[in-house]
Amino acid sequence: MTNERTVPLLPCASIDDIEAFYGVLGFRTTYKQRKPNPCVGVQREDLHLQFFEIAGFDPEQSYGSCLVLTADIEGLHRAFAAGMRAAYGKVLVSGTPRMTRPRARKNADGVGGFSVIDPGGNWIRVFRDAAALMPATTPTGRLAKALANAVVQADSRGSVGQAVRILDSALARPQADDDPVEQVEVLVYRAELAMVLHDPKTATEMLARAQSVTLTKDESERAAPAFDNAADLAAALR
């Protein structure tokens, strides 16, 4: 048999909140009912998700999750980010709902990915489809390794505190041969984690430190994605 399709069925506290949020991300509602059991289905192109409402459900305690495989994680992230900016005036990087940025995942053989944490506390984990993979590169620099380990803890496992400890330890021991671009990337990610922890003071400090790193023209080009993230974070801090 071919052409089978699996549609995740995920829990939430409010199907109305779910419908509104996924509408921001460019999904349309395909089905909705109140009785006998509240549920809603949403679709964006070939991506289908369905949700069921549970009275008293706590999104912070949710174990709901699913994988989305796509050849273009960057394009999907840009579309989601644009929807958030249009609806909220910023990309949501803290609280629930929120979205992480595309990053290579050490615990997924270096495959790039990002996550959307929706109002139900469900982690929609977007990964690059294996058919579209380029050979993965292994981090070699001290700061790059720390960043890779921190991403595993925070973006994959939701252990933000452990990720912060990894980055703070790396930043506390600067070395002469540290790559300036990796330093910027670590500082910006540390700012993002500070915002997840509702610590705007530290986030502001880390963004300022990232801006103060001296870079060559080539290094500035390599650091451009990190500075794009920094701009989103700065906007969210206002």
Side-chain angles (χ1 to χ4, degrees):
M1 296 177 65
T2 59
N3 300 318
E4 295 89 346
R5 185 177 67 189
T6 299
V7 178
L9 187 59
L10 301 167
C12 67
S14 166
I15 58 172
D16 292 333
D17 290 347
I18 286 289
E19 183 180 30
F21 175 72
Y22 280 96
V24 166
L25 300 188
F27 287 73
R28 63 182 179 88
T29 301
T30 57
Y31 180 80
K32 188 176 184 180
Q33 71 172 34
R34 295 288 181 186
K35 295 180 179 180
N37 303 301
C39 61
V40 65
V42 297
Q43 177 183 353
R44 187 184 191 280
E45 297 178 340
D46 291 332
L47 177 51
H48 298 254
L49 299 169
Q50 294 192 14
F51 301 86
F52 60 96
E53 184 177 303
I54 302 176
F57 183 76
D58 181 3
E60 295 299 324
Q61 303 302 316
S62 177
Y63 286 90
S65 184
C66 75
L67 298 179
V68 175
L69 304 180
T70 176
D72 185 13
I73 59 172
E74 293 83 6
L76 191 58
H77 185 272
R78 283 194 300 270
F80 287 174
M84 287 184 177
R85 291 190 189 99
Y88 311 122
K90 60 185 179 181
V91 177
L92 304 181
V93 296
S94 63
T96 303
R98 66 184 184 275
M99 180 171 68
T100 68
R101 288 186 67 86
R103 298 184 179 91
R105 303 291 178 87
K106 175 185 175 182
N107 59 331
D109 297 326
V111 175
F114 71 94
S115 296
V116 173
I117 298 86
D118 70 22
N122 302 295
W123 284 64
I124 312 302
R125 304 173 188 270
V126 182
F127 283 96
R128 197 179 308 279
D129 194 336
L133 286 180
M134 298 293 287
T137 58
T138 301
T140 56
R142 182 184 71 89
L143 293 176
K145 291 178 180 178
L147 179 61
N149 289 332
V151 167
V152 170
Q153 295 299 324
D155 285 14
S156 291
R157 299 176 181 168
S159 300
V160 178
Q162 181 60 29
V164 164
R165 286 187 284 274
I166 291 170
L167 296 184
D168 285 349
S169 176
L171 290 169
R173 298 179 288 104
Q175 296 182 12
D177 61 348
D178 283 341
D179 183 340
V181 176
E182 293 175 3
Q183 184 181 2
V184 169
E185 292 170 343
V186 167
L187 288 167
V188 172
Y189 189 46
R190 179 63 180 88
E192 182 177 326
L193 297 183
M195 294 180 67
V196 174
L197 295 174
H198 307 290
D199 182 3
K201 180 179 178 181
T202 297
T204 301
E205 175 191 342
M206 294 297 164
L207 291 178
R209 286 177 61 181
Q211 291 290 345
S212 69
V213 175
T214 301
L215 301 171
T216 65
K217 181 179 179 180
D218 176 68
E219 289 168 344
S220 295
E221 293 175 355
R222 289 170 48 212
F227 284 123
D228 287 344
N229 187 19
D232 282 338
L233 297 176
L237 281 168
R238 298 191 188 107

